[in-house]
Amino acid sequence: MNEQKVNDWLASRKQLRENRNAVSLFEALRSGNRTALSSSITLLESSLEKDREIATAIIRLCLPFSGNSVRIGITGVPGVGKSSFIERFGMELIHEGKRIAVLAIDPTSERTGGSILGDKTRMQQLSQEENAFIRPSAAGNTLGGVARKTRETIILCEAAGYDTILVETVGVGQSETMVHSMVDFFLLLLLAGAGDELQGIKRGIMEMADGLAVTKADGENDQRAKLAQRELKNAIHLFPPTASGWIPEVHTCSSVTGERIDAVRNMIHRFEEHAKIKGSFLQNRKDQDRNWMHETLRSLLLEGLYLNPAIHQRTLEMEEAVRQGNISAFEAAEFIYDLYKKQ
Ligand code: GDP
């Protein structure tokens, strides 16, 4: 055999092995084996190319079995009560016979190495449940990278039979948009403040929400929560209507007493029914997939551009030339782009 043939043969053996790994993990995952699900997620989070290849094969196998769930995004500032809410809400769903997966997108983990959402003591009760799968935020260099892994994780969880996917994120910026782009229902948790409900939450995020819940509505705080609810209802009236005609609802709830957690759950049920009747449920998912294709393409192009050593070198030179005023920023960018096209 010549060298090329040997290499081809080795490659096909490797492919076979990877396929075998993928198929056996997929089969175990489908039969409800949580370790197989965890291992598959670890593979897709890996930076090793061979792991990613197996993960891609598993995702391909899982795709026909995915999609049959409600994907709920949950956001709010640190301390608003996200994990307490998910614990209570999740337990109620489990009692209803649901199987839930809790995933997290944590924009702080990449910067600080630590993580607001990664705390092991969170959701203690839920984490003991057979029908709950909790996965902390994926590691990654960029929020886009983390988002991609989370989207892929959703597919795996759905194929593994989880019918309710909760994607949690800290309300501190970009990550809400990211989560909004991968869920069916977007829930914003808010704290009741003395008349300052609208502060600290960007209007854009309020507009993205399909539902709002004022948390910690118990004890002395209950009245304040109700006041905040009224103010929020008024504020929401001023927002433009959504395409499906759904009007976001505002509720109060307490994760400590468990009161009105069911109101939030019922709101999500109502939304699901409404969106399915109107056809916006599937349409939204299709739009999300299309956007995601473009998003992935953009990041691949950027990676191709910035990770190419030759182009990187020229980019540094161009930066310097722009700084010196020898070339305009526009012209320098065009020069680099031309170089990229010729590659
Ligand atoms: P997260 O940072 O948004 O995940 O918030 P946590 O769930 O960790 O809650 C922050 C703090 O608020 C904790 O001390 C909780 O015990 C408290 N907390 C959460 N939900 C409630 C609630 O419904 N009522 C009351 N009184 N306290 C709550």
Side-chain angles (χ1 to χ4, degrees), residues 77-84 122 216 218 254-256:
V77 294
V80 69
K82 287 181 297 300
S83 55
S84 312
R122 302 166 83 245
K216 309 191 191 182
D218 45 57
S254 167
S255 307
V256 168

